[in-house]
Amino acid sequence: MEDKLVVRGIEFSSRLWVGTGKYKDFEETARVIEASGADVVTVSVRRVNITDRKSENLLDYLDPKKYKILPNTAGCYNVEDALRYARLAREAGVSDMVKLEVIGDERTLFPDTIGLLRATEILAREGFIVFPYTNDDPIMAKRLEDAGAAAVMPLGAPIGSGLGIRNPYNIKIILEYAKVPVLVDAGVGTASDAAIAMELGCDAVLINTAIAGAKDPLAMAQAMKYAVIAGRLAFKAGRMGKKLYAAASSPFEGML
Amino acid sequence: MKIKLNGEDYETVIETVAQLLEELRIVPGRVAVELNLSILKKADYGTCPLHDGDAVEVVNFVGGG
């Protein structure tokens, strides 16, 4: 029985989405992402380095025919910049997908949700498939969905913090209200965090630092792959209820 | 002519955006180009002329989360 993630008619073969930042070099990036089994990779949009002209490009190592490239608008602190980067990304790339970031604060990298909503409205109207990086506010998630977002991406914790899913209760409410897919993006620190996100019912998890920043990124990529699969299976299996008191697993009958 | 290329002064004698990318040894398929704050369609690189004082931004995808 298929349990594929589908967004706007696009089928995804993995519920683990990975970032391409913070790796040692392109070789490591490619090797680790291969091990993760991910089919979506995020990238940033930056000026070509004119003076230091390396002949290699990230996409020489991550085949756009094999991976779905999801450009982000990282580093954008206002609507105008985010729109500019998104439109450039669409022109440079091969799809209309964009991970929309409008950042409100340098220290926390929390989203400026007012700007995010505005940019989502505009880009959705222009035909972009918008994946907004948002906070864990269910009202904001609903607003983004109504504004035309293809999915919502609530953060688990600040980008690169590794603190895990800090507010699973709000994520659960977002999942209840949302008619579009919900992907946790940011804050996952280790495999159990990814599993927790999936057990809540999230449709996918986007992970970068937890893998790239692990002592052994290749091993962590594998761990995340299994964690996402395990979490999803557990969610679909329907967990047991929680009780305050014990309920014995072994029978009384036949006791001596 | 002198243009602004990715924020820096750049001197060149080429006439079109396509020629500029060729001079820089940049593969057009992997970048996006913005000319005076207007994003160019790839199909127009060959015909789009460059003039003295133009501001050109050439971007590509790099690693990011």
Side-chain angles (χ1 to χ4, degrees), chain B residues 33-59:
Chain B
V33 178
E34 188 194 72
L35 172 60
N36 299 328
L37 298 176
S38 240
I39 299 174
L40 293 178
K41 291 254 169 271
K42 285 195 173 36
D44 296 335
Y45 289 178
T47 49
C48 183
L50 285 172
H51 304 105
D52 201 53
D54 278 343
V56 180
E57 295 283 353
V58 184
V59 299

Side-chain angles (χ1 to χ4, degrees), chain A residues 8 26 41 64 67 90 99 103 137 140 150 157 197 236 244:
Chain A
R8 292 273 173 93
F26 288 152
V41 297
Y67 296 102
R90 180 153 71 171
K99 173 182 150 173
I103 303 300
D137 172 6
M140 180 48 57
K236 300 281 296 208
L244 187 54

